[in-house]
Amino acid sequence: MDQPVINCRPERKDAAENRQRILDAALRLFEEHGVEPVSMNQIAAEAQIGAGTLYRRYRNKNELCMDLIRDPVDQLSRDIKAYLQGNNSSPPSERLRGLLALFLQFKEIHAGLIAGVEHSSAALGAHSRTSTSLYEEFHQLLVQLFEEVSLEARQAGPDSIFRADMLMIALSSDSYLFQRNVRGNSQDTILDQLCQTFI
């Protein structure tokens, strides 16, 4: 008896080309105008495809931004894992500082795109901003390290989940860009202040 054929076709060539045209066009427009002012129709026009083609692949700008930032997010996850493995014997406060330094570097490089993802997520509902895998992974690491800090100090500190929640709010793009662009703080200054405030 013949074995059933499993259909695992790769993405069609024209679909893959359209996806790349969309991402390239979106990136050009985002770099020129910022994420928020750019509409899906502008992206379709820039990519020279129909709006229907764009919406079949991406239901909204948040999905498009998430696709654009997927590779950098994956790299950040690998960098965090490598950092923590290479520094597992360091005090938790030092590991927290290193983790924050990696995250702020990521923010600095991809600030506009991350802000676009956050703003689009907020428009879809408050909880969606906190339900991304990057947020969940980073939040969980912060909670774990805050608990280690309390254990090392041999005294109960603030609730680790609440502390991680507040730190993540301080790390949001709106907060980070306000500190950079309005307050004029450098990335290093922001890192120092976060560490003094939260660790």
Side-chain angles (χ1 to χ4, degrees):
M1 186 200 277
D2 291 339
Q3 293 292 322
V5 176
I6 298 173
N7 189 0
C8 293
R9 289 182 303 175
E11 186 177 34
R12 287 189 348 249
K13 184 179 177 190
D14 61 330
E17 287 172 356
N18 279 341
R19 174 180 176 271
Q20 197 55 55
R21 286 168 66 184
I22 291 166
L23 294 177
D24 291 344
L27 203 51
R28 281 195 302 273
L29 289 169
F30 293 163
E31 286 174 352
E32 187 176 344
H33 305 289
V35 175
E36 205 165 349
V38 175
S39 71
M40 291 290 275
N41 287 337
Q42 284 176 284
I43 294 167
E46 179 75 12
Q48 298 179 344
I49 60 167
T53 301
L54 174 60
Y55 278 104
R56 274 192 296 277
R57 180 166 283 279
Y58 302 105
R59 289 176 298 177
N60 51 55
K61 198 162 47 171
N62 181 55
E63 286 187 359
L64 198 160
C65 288
M66 289 300 290
D67 199 9
L68 272 172
I69 207 164
R70 182 170 286 120
D71 289 343
V73 165
D74 289 345
Q75 184 60 54
L76 175 63
S77 292
R78 288 192 295 272
D79 291 345
I80 287 172
K81 191 174 289 185
Y83 171 79
L84 291 174
Q85 286 173 348
N87 295 276
N88 61 354
S89 60
S90 299
S93 57
E94 284 182 27
R95 281 179 281 142
L96 263 168
R97 184 181 180 89
L99 206 62
L100 289 174
L102 285 172
F103 197 79
L104 289 180
Q105 182 63 34
F106 173 74
K107 281 272 187 192
E108 188 72 21
I109 296 169
H110 305 287
L113 198 51
I114 296 167
V117 169
E118 289 178 2
H119 291 151
S120 297
S121 294
L124 294 173
H127 179 67
S128 61
R129 179 183 295 207
T130 63
S131 61
T132 63
S133 60
L134 175 63
Y135 181 96
E136 295 294 344
E137 177 186 347
F138 197 69
H139 186 272
Q140 190 173 16
L141 289 171
L142 291 176
V143 169
Q144 179 185 327
L145 287 169
F146 281 139
E147 288 177 354
E148 287 184 40
V149 167
S150 294
L151 281 172
E152 187 181 66
R154 296 184 181 184
Q155 61 183 28
D159 177 79
S160 297
I161 293 174
F162 181 82
R163 204 171 175 183
D165 288 344
M166 293 300 101
L167 179 51
M168 291 300 289
I169 290 169
L171 290 169
S172 71
S173 292
D174 286 345
S175 177
Y176 181 73
L177 292 173
F178 177 81
Q179 290 299 326
R180 289 289 277 123
N181 301 331
V182 178
R183 296 295 188 215
N185 288 318
S186 69
Q187 184 181 334
D188 289 338
T189 300
I190 294 170
L191 176 61
D192 288 340
Q193 291 299 314
L194 286 172
C195 289
Q196 289 179 43
T197 302
F198 288 96
I199 302 175

